[in-house]
Amino acid sequence: LQLYTVRDAMQRDVLGTLKALKVMGYTNFESYGYDALNKTYYGMTPEQFKTMLEDLELSTDSGHYGFADYLWSSREELLAYTDACIEGASRLGDEFIVWPIVREADRNLEGFKKLTEQLSIIGERTSAAGMGFAYHNFGYEFEPYEEFMPYQYIIEQTDPSQVKLEVDFYWVARAGVYTPKEIIELAPGRFPLWHIKDMDKVTRDYTELGNGSIDYKSLMPDPDRAGLKYHYIEQGGNFAQDSMSSVAQSAQYFKNELTPLF
């Protein structure tokens, strides 16, 4: 599970939330909200959070970090923040750090060109540190921006050994340019991280797995072809009741219907 899904519950009670998620069947998580200044996750040092997870026989392998705030930063500023993220993730024992979003004001030709430059700088640094780095898509990367489609540009202009891709299948489906299987064929082996979530049949907003219009049983790509290492259920909002009820429903659907695909 991407823990951002249950951010309200995590803010109230980290330990209680993790215990409840374990009962639902979740064992591995992707973090969010790292405080690079204080070097904390959810108000805890990386070691404290890791111990909490290990005591529950849970783990994390990836995290989303605030790189969007550094799109226009100097190389020195970007590397200083990257080093702080690498330190936190290393102390937590993670394998990947992720650039999760591009601010709306930066979704333009100049912004995406700058993005690829910054991704390359981060990728080189994380690779040298023995850590993986990935870029997470939304839907705006599939829109044509004068000279190029941003997603293809990112793939072409970055080193595949240093900049991986975290594919969000909801946003791929919503953009409608590629199917989940087709997106993998743009860069086979470069998708170690997946976000799996469903799309409301009417509003096209997020919804619980099995409630929406994305037929994963027929659309799910080959994990080996993609280079998959970790997959995360996610639902950013639009909960039928509340976030914890939604992730419980999604976990049950995944176990019953989608587990055989992996």
Side-chain angles (χ1 to χ4, degrees):
L1 182 72
Q2 164 51 264
L3 288 170
Y4 181 76
T5 306
V6 292
R7 56 197 178 276
D8 56 337
M10 289 291 287
Q11 288 174 355
R12 291 192 302 268
D13 181 2
V14 175
L15 180 59
T17 299
L18 293 174
K19 287 180 176 179
L21 293 173
K22 180 180 180 179
V23 171
M24 297 175 197
Y26 291 103
T27 59
N28 183 266
F29 303 101
E30 185 172 51
S31 66
Y32 74 94
Y34 174 64
D35 183 336
L37 180 62
N38 296 304
K39 299 181 179 178
T40 57
Y41 295 87
Y42 316 108
M44 293 174 277
T45 66
E47 290 79 10
Q48 288 171 330
F49 185 46
K50 182 178 182 179
T51 296
M52 180 181 289
L53 290 165
E54 290 178 341
D55 287 347
L56 295 171
E57 299 181 312
L58 302 173
S59 62
T60 62
D61 285 296
S62 177
H64 281 195
Y65 293 83
F67 289 109
D69 294 334
Y70 293 83
L71 180 64
W72 300 103
S73 295
S74 67
R75 178 184 179 90
E76 291 71 25
E77 290 172 328
L78 178 64
L79 286 176
Y81 179 71
T82 301
D83 287 344
C85 296
I86 290 172
E87 179 187 346
S90 297
R91 290 166 61 187
L92 188 57
D94 281 356
E95 186 176 345
F96 288 94
I97 61 177
V98 178
W99 182 311
I101 194 171
V102 175
R103 304 299 183 202
E104 187 172 1
D106 298 322
R107 298 169 195 171
N108 50 54
L109 188 66
E110 294 74 19
F112 286 116
K113 286 184 175 180
K114 186 64 176 179
L115 173 66
T116 60
E117 295 176 13
Q118 303 293 59
L119 291 177
S120 294
I121 291 171
I122 299 167
E124 182 179 12
R125 192 69 148 208
T126 53
S127 180
M131 182 167 290
F133 172 62
Y135 175 78
H136 168 274
N137 70 276
F138 276 79
Y140 41 77
E141 296 92 344
F142 302 104
E143 299 174 13
Y145 285 84
E146 300 173 39
E147 299 177 12
F148 52 70
M149 177 185 286
Y151 203 70
Q152 290 179 327
Y153 188 75
I154 290 167
I155 289 173
E156 294 167 0
Q157 298 297 318
T158 55
D159 186 335
S161 70
Q162 297 181 349
V163 180
K164 303 298 184 182
L165 302 164
E166 178 171 58
V167 60
D168 187 309
F169 289 125
Y170 164 87
W171 285 109
V172 170
R174 180 158 176 168
V177 177
Y178 302 102
T179 66
K181 290 182 179 179
E182 289 170 344
I183 198 76
I184 298 304
E185 293 307 312
L186 294 180
R190 202 172 171 180
F191 297 87
L193 306 174
W194 293 6
H195 276 190
I196 299 172
K197 57 191 179 196
D198 215 337
M199 182 164 58
D200 189 278
K201 296 175 182 178
V202 177
T203 67
R204 305 185 79 210
D205 200 346
Y206 309 126
T207 192
E208 296 74 21
L209 284 182
N211 281 2
S213 59
I214 303 177
D215 182 10
Y216 281 109
K217 285 186 282 188
S218 64
L219 295 175
M220 190 76 80
D222 179 353
D224 293 333
R225 178 73 173 164
L228 176 67
K229 287 193 173 184
Y230 308 107
H231 54 275
Y232 304 101
I233 290 173
E234 184 187 30
Q235 186 176 340
N238 195 40
F239 306 114
Q241 182 176 345
D242 57 64
S243 65
M244 293 297 283
S245 298
S246 289
V247 296
Q249 179 179 331
S250 290
Q252 193 61 47
Y253 179 83
F254 189 97
K255 285 186 285 187
N256 292 342
E257 304 294 337
L258 301 185
T259 298
L261 302 178
F262 292 87

